[in-house]
Amino acid sequence: MKLGLHTILLRATSTMLVAALAVSACTSTTTPPGASTAPSAAAAGPVSGGTVTIPIGADPTLNPWSPNAFVESLFINRAIFEGLTKPGKDLAPAADLAQSWTVAPDGLSWTFKLRSGVKWSDGKPFTADDVAFTFNDIVLKPDLGAQNRASYAAVKSVTVVDPTTVRFDLTRKFAALASFLAYNAGILPKHVLSANPLTTTTFNKGIPVSTGPFKVEKYTSGQSVSLVPNENYFGPKPFLDKVVFTVVADPNTQVAQALSGDLQIMILDNKAAVDRMKSAAGLVVVARPLVQYYWLSLNQTDSRFTDVRVRQAFVHAIDRQAIIKSVELGYGSIANSPITPALAAYYDPSLASKYPYDPAKATELLKAAGWTPGANGVLQKDGKPFQFTMDVGQRGVLEPVNALIQQDLKKVGVVVDLNTMEWNSYIQKDVVRREYTATVNWWTYPSDPDVFPYYHSSAAGKGFNIPGYQDPKLDDLLVQGQSASDLESRKAVYKQLQQYTSEVLPYLFLWYPQEIDVLSSSLKGVPELGLRDAMHYIGEWWLAKK
């Protein structure tokens, strides 16, 4: 495998991430998984057998490119589908269906050498045609609206060189291509989906054909998806007999099931339960830094929010430190840009204190934007009150966070009505159709500062640019970032990008969270990664005999 400069840079970043993990472990009372391993079990080595049960919040969509494949789908899709690359255990892109790759001297094409002898779960051979089909006929087709399509705006086409070689031709340099191919970019079977690649129900909500170490055994809507080992998998046979993803929407129920031993691994959304989890026998709790941030999106089709002074006023009006303290119990830090502290080589810490909680400053900015108090104290402009609705998805911390934001904005004269919705309905309305005024959510992205898919004007509407913010200067910075291939030039571009986004606020940045993972102490072989990335290694997980 060619280790390009970009890969080396990623590894430098990853080293810093590992260092951050070490700091986290030193400052937290949580326990790393290895520390809980009983010496006798660890010494015995991996054993086969057993079932691991993992909670998900809603019915998943078993197609990584479906516009409907969101949080609950990602866990399963990473266990059954494989990309050309995957996140390495050091977070640098590692080989998966591709064994190696090279970049042309001009940076405008990448050639991937595929593994030979790989089969789909139905026994058909995997070839370069499947890779070309996935990208040329799905990802690069604008009308299909594939999930993550915006990530590949620089890709012109994918050419089959021979049955085990493909070439990605680009319209401009794309330094982070290998990282993006490791992130929710599973290859799909041409022989199954050529007629209808994204909406085949028997595939998306049934038993899809895949290449991973596990395959789907059964999909029961509203209840669970069970996986069993894929007998056609090219790698070692998984240790586990079965993996069950069970639909448990309520975080409190997830906590109760973990405490009773019904779940073996989960992300703890309800951080109020951290102490109970830490003190429970048979459970291990781990805090991890994430490439993730929470945001408040103000729809840019609403003229009230196109005034940057209003967006800046809202950030001053929201007590973000209080949110971190109350809903995250301190497991997080204030965000003012899309580059997270986990990407230490690029993160600009000077922005951390840019918008202190300051209701008086917020009032001043709103007044400058033409909003003045009416007789009832509610801000008015052109005879209309400053009042709008925020849709709230029932997921994790979103409900209490929206309530806190509602209270804070009320203090400066802005009335917010909350519209709480079931998660899948919320995703369809706010994320897919963009029928919203304001909403809170989060982004998790590849371990690279390239945030093009979430901010470029081309991603407004159907892409990941949820507020629909369009800005030529920001577009130019995003393209510069993708084209830069050495550390210093990338750092310079992404520092500018952080400074600019903190000023113009395409999203209102809220906080950078830490992930709290809860594992059964009998579950072994899970790498020191966030749970989403650890799913790529589920074939290595095993259960110690009790």
Side-chain angles (χ1 to χ4, degrees):
M1 178 189 312
K2 178 178 179 178
L3 294 180
L5 180 56
H6 181 66
T7 301
I8 295 171
L9 300 181
L10 275 169
R11 291 191 172 175
T13 302
S14 302
T15 299
M16 296 178 191
L17 181 56
V18 171
L21 276 166
V23 171
S24 173
C26 291
T27 55
S28 170
T29 57
T30 54
T31 307
S36 71
T37 302
S40 58
V47 294
S48 297
T51 297
V52 164
T53 302
I54 306 170
I56 54 176
D59 272 346
T61 299
L62 305 180
N63 185 327
W65 299 102
S66 166
N68 298 316
F70 286 96
V71 184
E72 60 281 348
S73 307
L74 301 181
F75 287 98
I76 308 177
N77 286 336
R78 291 180 186 190
I80 59 178
F81 295 104
E82 293 175 307
L84 295 183
T85 62
K86 65 181 179 182
K89 293 178 182 176
D90 60 357
L91 289 181
D96 204 2
L97 288 175
Q99 286 184 302
S100 61
W101 53 91
T102 55
V103 185
D106 64 2
L108 294 178
S109 68
W110 292 52
T111 299
F112 292 84
K113 190 66 178 175
L114 308 179
R115 292 182 189 275
S116 58
V118 176
K119 292 182 179 179
W120 293 97
S121 55
D122 63 359
K124 302 289 186 184
F126 159 80
T127 73
D129 284 334
D130 295 307
V131 180
F133 164 72
T134 300
F135 285 90
N136 292 336
D137 296 309
I138 301 176
V139 182
L140 301 181
K141 293 285 188 184
D143 293 345
L144 292 182
Q147 177 95 265
N148 273 337
R149 178 179 176 275
S151 298
Y152 300 95
V155 177
K156 184 166 57 180
S157 63
V158 176
T159 299
V160 174
V161 178
D162 61 45
T164 57
T165 309
V166 294
R167 186 182 69 244
F168 281 62
D169 292 309
L170 311 177
T171 57
R172 61 175 185 273
K173 293 179 180 179
F174 184 9
L177 177 59
S179 294
F180 276 84
L181 290 174
Y183 190 76
N184 303 328
I187 302 301
L188 295 177
K190 180 180 180 181
H191 68 283
V192 175
L193 294 174
S194 58
N196 194 358
L198 294 185
T199 56
T200 299
T201 302
T202 53
F203 191 93
N204 294 359
K205 302 286 185 181
I207 300 180
V209 172
S210 54
T211 57
F214 285 91
K215 65 179 183 180
V216 175
E217 176 192 45
K218 187 177 183 181
Y219 186 124
T220 306
S221 181
Q223 297 182 33
S224 65
V225 176
S226 59
L227 311 182
V228 292
N230 174 9
E231 64 274 16
N232 289 310
Y233 180 54
F234 67 83
K237 181 184 177 184
F239 295 112
L240 300 173
D241 286 338
K242 184 175 285 192
V243 179
V244 177
F245 294 87
T246 180
V247 178
V248 184
D250 180 11
N252 294 320
T253 303
Q254 292 184 10
V255 169
Q257 292 186 353
L259 290 170
S260 65
D262 292 335
L263 304 174
Q264 281 68 51
I265 188 168
M266 60 179 278
I267 295 174
L268 183 63
D269 286 330
N270 178 9
K271 293 188 172 63
V274 165
D275 289 341
R276 270 192 293 161
M277 293 295 201
K278 287 180 183 174
S279 60
L283 294 179
V284 176
V285 180
V286 189
R288 307 182 193 280
L290 291 173
V291 185
Q292 183 183 80
Y293 59 98
Y294 278 79
W295 40 259
L296 166 59
S297 174
L298 300 172
N299 198 319
Q300 293 300 292
T301 61
D302 188 319
S303 60
R304 293 173 295 183
F305 302 133
T306 57
D307 190 325
V308 69
R309 294 169 297 187
V310 171
R311 302 196 296 274
Q312 292 171 339
F314 277 23
V315 180
H316 276 300
I318 298 170
D319 190 346
R320 295 174 291 168
Q321 196 61 57
I323 291 175
I324 295 168
K325 182 178 179 181
S326 63
V327 305
E328 297 282 13
L329 301 185
Y331 289 99
S333 57
I334 286 177
N336 277 317
S337 89
I339 309 300
T340 79
L343 299 175
Y346 301 96
Y347 173 65
D348 184 353
S350 71
L351 298 175
S353 57
K354 181 162 185 173
Y355 291 100
Y357 175 56
D358 189 344
K361 180 66 176 178
T363 299
E364 179 184 321
L365 285 164
L366 288 166
K367 183 178 180 181
W371 293 96
T372 55
N376 56 1
V378 175
L379 295 181
Q380 316 278 324
K381 185 177 181 181
D382 300 327
K384 297 179 181 177
F386 206 153
Q387 182 170 5
F388 60 89
T389 298
M390 287 207 304
D391 288 339
V392 184
Q394 290 179 306
R395 179 104 190 170
V397 301
L398 295 181
E399 288 183 81
V401 168
N402 276 273
L404 290 168
I405 291 173
Q406 180 190 43
Q407 293 171 21
D408 284 341
L409 293 180
K410 183 180 179 181
K411 293 173 186 173
V412 296
V414 177
V415 177
V416 178
D417 301 311
L418 301 183
N419 175 35
T420 303
M421 306 171 67
E422 182 273 331
W423 179 248
N424 279 341
S425 299
Y426 162 82
I427 289 293
Q428 289 301 313
K429 180 175 183 291
D430 287 48
V431 178
V432 177
R433 299 197 303 271
R434 308 290 159 85
E435 296 171 355
Y436 77 97
T437 302
T439 190
V440 175
N441 212 313
W442 72 90
W443 283 131
T444 306
Y445 58 97
S447 300
D448 189 278
D450 183 352
V451 291
F452 183 108
Y454 309 89
Y455 289 85
H456 196 269
S457 297
S458 62
K462 282 189 173 181
F464 286 162
N465 183 343
I466 300 297
Y469 182 81
Q470 300 185 50
D471 183 332
K473 181 175 179 179
L474 179 54
D475 290 348
D476 182 57
L477 286 169
L478 291 162
V479 171
Q480 286 185 47
Q482 287 199 328
S483 301
S485 57
D486 65 89
L487 179 58
E488 291 309 314
S489 60
R490 295 193 97 214
K491 285 170 66 175
V493 172
Y494 286 112
K495 183 173 183 179
Q496 288 183 62
L497 183 141
Q498 289 174 79
Q499 295 280 350
Y500 189 64
T501 52
S502 72
E503 189 64 29
V504 299
L505 298 174
Y507 294 83
L508 309 194
F509 304 103
L510 298 176
W511 77 95
Y512 306 115
Q514 284 186 305
E515 178 176 292
I516 307 296
D517 292 339
V518 177
L519 302 84
S520 165
S521 58
S522 63
L523 181 59
K524 311 297 181 184
V526 182
E528 297 281 350
L529 298 169
L531 181 52
R532 295 172 183 83
D533 288 336
M535 294 305 300
H536 289 281
Y537 295 90
I538 197 166
E540 300 176 11
W541 299 9
W542 56 280
L543 285 167
K545 302 294 184 184
K546 295 182 179 177

